[in-house]
Amino acid sequence: MNWLGWLQTFFADPAHRSGPDSILNRVLEHLVFSAEALGLAALIALPLGLLIGYSGRGLFLVTALTGVARALPTLGLVTLAVLLVGVGDAAVLLPLTALAAPPLLVAAAEGVRGTDPEVRDAARGIGLTHPQTLFRVCVPAAAPTLLAGARTAAVQVIATATVAAYVGLGGLGRYVIDGLATRNFPTTVGGALLVVLLAVAVQLLFAVLIRFASPRGARAVPAVPVDEPAGSPAHLKESI
């Protein structure tokens, strides 16, 4: 039977239309694992990345450490997590969080660091505090970079969340792992296709978000009085 026949068999299976093994239920389980891992990674990586990017300290060390973290084998981390915390959600969330944190951390640091220094100085010149400058000037300017990092992290996590099936949890990995174990190739191929489609859908969603994430001033530059050049403290204060 060819791949098209396998997919037809997979989607025609009544067990995949309703019940705990339905496609909708497995997709929701997969999304929940992925969202929890991304949320935890964001709580850890974004504040640290924003601080490093704004201060400019430790950026080289962060880049080196994130490179090492990306090279860690996820399946090996799952096995180690099972040995440490036992079988459960934590055994999957810990490795997925470790996978999602590096791109978020680097994106936050690089995005803030890339803010025009003159704009930051002007913000400070009109009386903004460092936190206000960070969140009202740097973060909006870094939004496309932050979303690009989130896109990378989300796609990686969604593609890797299939490992949840190795420890008996749900998600689309159940189709892939169970199909391989029973030599049920229609189920394996169908599950793999769903993972790919889900990752592509998330990729397209973030592409749209990045398109509209640029600050308003970057889309349409407002008219500036002749006596107040663009980038001056007064002009910056009006835009903020």
Side-chain angles (χ1 to χ4, degrees):
M1 184 179 294
N2 56 28
W3 285 36
L4 185 60
W6 285 342
L7 291 175
Q8 185 176 3
T9 300
F10 172 77
F11 287 106
D13 190 338
H16 297 158
R17 298 179 182 178
S18 62
D21 200 37
S22 66
I23 292 175
L24 178 60
N25 186 58
R26 293 305 186 193
V27 169
L28 291 176
E29 289 176 341
H30 204 93
L31 289 175
V32 168
F33 285 138
S34 301
E36 289 177 346
L38 287 171
L40 289 173
L43 288 175
I44 298 170
L46 290 183
L48 182 59
L50 294 177
L51 178 61
I52 292 173
Y54 188 78
S55 66
R57 299 176 181 175
L59 187 61
F60 175 78
L61 179 61
V62 166
T63 304
L65 290 177
T66 52
V68 173
R70 289 174 181 175
L72 295 175
T74 305
L75 186 56
L77 291 177
V78 170
T79 303
L80 179 61
V82 169
L83 295 176
L84 294 176
V85 301
V87 176
D89 290 358
V92 175
L93 288 178
L94 290 176
L96 292 182
T97 300
L99 179 68
L104 291 174
L105 180 61
V106 172
E110 291 289 351
V112 172
R113 190 176 72 96
T115 307
D116 189 344
E118 294 184 358
V119 175
R120 292 172 55 171
D121 291 342
R124 295 286 296 144
I126 64 173
L128 295 186
T129 63
H130 285 295
Q132 288 175 327
T133 301
L134 173 60
F135 289 104
R136 296 177 63 179
V137 177
C138 298
V139 171
T145 305
L146 290 171
L147 286 173
R151 176 181 61 185
T152 300
V155 171
Q156 289 180 345
V157 167
I158 287 174
T160 312
T162 53
V163 299
Y166 279 106
V167 294
L169 300 179
L172 294 174
R174 285 257 62 93
Y175 294 141
V176 178
I177 303 303
D178 293 349
L180 289 174
T182 60
R183 298 184 63 83
N184 187 339
F185 298 116
T187 299
T188 301
V189 173
L193 176 64
L194 289 175
V195 173
V196 172
L197 292 177
L198 189 59
V200 170
V202 170
Q203 182 98 346
L204 294 176
L205 174 61
F206 273 99
V208 174
L209 294 176
I210 292 171
R211 169 66 180 81
F212 292 100
S214 299
R216 288 179 298 175
R219 299 183 193 174
V221 179
V224 180
V226 176
D227 56 275
E228 290 293 346
S232 66
H235 175 248
L236 179 63
K237 188 173 183 178
E238 293 177 359
S239 65
I240 295 175

